[in-house]
Amino acid sequence: TAALALAIALTAPASAGEKITIGGASGMIPIAQELAKAFGTKTKGDTVEIEAPTSSPAGIKSLQQGKLDIALSSRTLTGEETAQGLQLKEFARVRVVLAVNKSVPVKNITSEQVCGIYAGRIKNWREVGGPERPLFPLTRPSSETDPQILRANIECFKNLKEAETVL
């Protein structure tokens, strides 16, 4: 399932010779760096500075505080954020992927099995056709887009309470 990758910018346009500061969601920094490089070859006098990666909420907060000109976010804006004058411009889409370590030879796992793993009902790879090894599920913060996409598109994730063992 595709997740939106968004740039949130204030409405003030950049002027010639300006430094544009960008920061926010860590997953979007590599594409922002490539775009900044391309921008630099097409403009004279303007510079783009990419801040150290943080998160969507941290980037948006830095934008609101005037520390960034553009915030990178992998989530949509809240009503409160749009009411404060923030705008969003989609510039890319990314995929949400469920993956396992290459040493785990499990294929064709079902959505129900994935939900069982995240709920803590399935605790060993053996239970889903893999080797006798414990599972260590990882996730992203619930405020990020990836878990929101899973909840919106996989029925058993809609109201899933993740086990305390999920990191």
Side-chain angles (χ1 to χ4, degrees), residues 3-95:
L4 295 179
L6 307 169
I8 292 114
L10 292 173
T11 56
S15 59
E18 187 173 0
K19 177 177 85 169
I20 302 164
T21 307
I22 300 173
S26 60
M28 295 177 56
I29 295 294
I31 194 169
Q33 290 169 328
E34 290 301 315
L35 291 171
K37 199 182 314 178
F39 177 78
T41 64
K42 299 229 182 248
T43 62
K44 294 190 191 297
D46 292 332
T47 59
V48 178
E49 182 178 297
I50 309 287
E51 297 287 316
T54 57
S55 65
S56 296
I60 292 168
K61 184 174 183 180
S62 291
L63 178 68
Q64 291 168 317
Q65 295 170 343
K67 296 176 183 174
L68 295 175
D69 298 304
I70 298 172
L72 303 171
S73 178
S74 57
R75 69 163 175 82
T76 59
L77 293 173
T78 65
E80 182 179 321
E81 291 163 347
T82 54
Q84 293 171 354
L86 299 183
Q87 296 179 347
L88 69 100
K89 304 288 183 190
E90 180 180 336
F91 70 91
R93 291 181 182 253
V94 295
R95 296 280 178 195

Side-chain angles (χ1 to χ4, degrees), residues 117-120 135-142 147 162-167:
I117 290 168
Y118 279 88
L135 278 157
F136 299 102
L138 306 174
T139 191
R140 303 276 300 155
S142 61
E162 289 181 350
E164 291 181 16
T165 55
V166 176
L167 303 175

Side-chain angles (χ1 to χ4, degrees), residues 84-160:
Q84 293 171 354
L86 299 183
Q87 296 179 347
L88 69 100
K89 304 288 183 190
E90 180 180 336
F91 70 91
R93 291 181 182 253
V94 295
R95 296 280 178 195
V96 175
V97 177
L98 297 170
V100 299
N101 186 293
K102 66 182 179 180
S103 69
V104 179
V106 174
K107 296 183 190 244
N108 300 323
I109 194 166
T110 68
S111 297
E112 288 298 325
Q113 289 170 320
V114 172
C115 288
I117 290 168
Y118 279 88
R121 295 186 302 273
I122 298 174
K123 299 177 189 228
N124 193 297
W125 283 112
R126 175 185 35 77
E127 298 174 66
V128 291
E132 175 67 38
R133 292 163 100 177
L135 278 157
F136 299 102
L138 306 174
T139 191
R140 303 276 300 155
S142 61
S143 62
E144 293 291 328
T145 299
D146 302 359
Q148 293 172 8
I149 294 292
L150 291 175
R151 291 189 186 284
N153 292 286
I154 299 178
E155 189 61 37
C156 60
F157 261 93
K158 286 192 185 337
N159 297 309
L160 181 79

